């Protein structure tokens, strides 16, 4: 019981320690080369912040996003291409990190399910419209007197 009390008492301390760490060097500092910074910015716009989940790492102020921005910029400085950096981040964090996932064994439902739903809706509409046409009387244009 005492162990649990001590653990609960120290939990906020460890969280504060993580927040008090300084940001990575390239988290908030742009690259000196404008062409490389443009590449970095374009890539960062297509990567999802894993903390915020609704913002790109370019827009997020979360520490995790800062670390990811640092990784993107430092890897570009080392000569890696944006495609290689995206592949590394996807291997590290999973397909969810990318706003532009590639078709693979885990992401194919993202691409297939909308097509299946569209085909289903089209089939239902065609069937219902076809039934209405066959149920309509043949003498629709004639008037009753």
């Amino acid at each position: 019981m005492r162990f649990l009390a001590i653990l609960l008492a120290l939990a906020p301390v460890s969280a504060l320690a993580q927040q008090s760490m300084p940001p990575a060097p390239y988290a908030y500092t742009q690259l000196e080369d404008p062409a490389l910074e443009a590449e970095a910015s374009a890539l960062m716009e297509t990567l999802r912040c894993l903390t915020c989940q609704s913002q790109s790492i370019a827009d997020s102020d979360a520490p995790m996003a800062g670390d990811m921005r640092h990784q993107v910029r430092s890897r570009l400085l080392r000569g890696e291409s944006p495609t290689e950096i995206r592949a590394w981040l996807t291997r590290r964090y999973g397909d969810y990190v990318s706003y532009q996932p590639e078709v693979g064994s885990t992401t194919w439902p993202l691409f297939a399910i909308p097509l299946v739903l569209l085909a289903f809706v089209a089939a239902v509409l065609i069937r219902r419209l076809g039934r209405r046409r066959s149920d309509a009387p043949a003498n629709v244009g004639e008037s009753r007197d």
Side-chain angles (χ1 to χ4, degrees):
M1 189 68 170
R2 283 186 181 175
F3 177 73
L4 182 60
I6 292 171
L7 186 63
L8 289 174
L10 292 178
V13 173
S14 65
L16 289 174
Q18 289 179 356
Q19 295 298 328
S20 65
M21 292 182 63
Y26 288 114
Y28 298 100
T29 305
Q30 293 186 351
L31 299 173
E32 291 179 14
D33 182 358
L36 277 180
E37 182 59 32
E39 274 188 276
S41 295
L43 179 58
M44 290 186 288
E45 288 291 334
T46 65
L47 297 171
R48 184 187 319 267
C49 174
L50 299 174
T51 304
C52 306
Q53 298 181 0
S54 63
Q55 290 181 312
S56 70
I57 64 171
D59 299 330
S60 175
D61 287 329
M64 178 74 169
D67 291 341
M68 292 171 74
R69 285 192 301 271
H70 169 75
Q71 288 294 329
V72 167
R73 287 181 174 126
S74 62
R75 286 175 176 270
L76 276 173
L77 281 174
R78 282 187 260 157
E80 291 185 40
S81 72
T83 305
E84 292 170 327
I85 297 168
R86 178 186 303 283
W88 178 79
L89 287 166
T90 302
R91 281 192 310 273
R92 184 168 183 168
Y93 299 114
D95 291 318
Y96 185 73
V97 75
S98 177
Y99 279 123
Q100 300 170 346
E102 295 180 12
V103 178
S105 61
T106 58
T107 59
W108 69 266
L110 292 173
F111 299 93
I113 289 174
L115 296 174
V116 170
L117 288 174
L118 188 61
F120 176 74
V121 167
V124 168
L125 286 175
I126 289 171
R127 190 169 179 189
R128 286 191 179 230
L129 291 175
R131 187 180 300 153
R132 278 192 187 154
R133 287 185 185 151
S134 65
D135 290 346
N139 53 2
V140 173
E142 297 176 9
S143 63
R144 291 184 183 172
D145 288 313

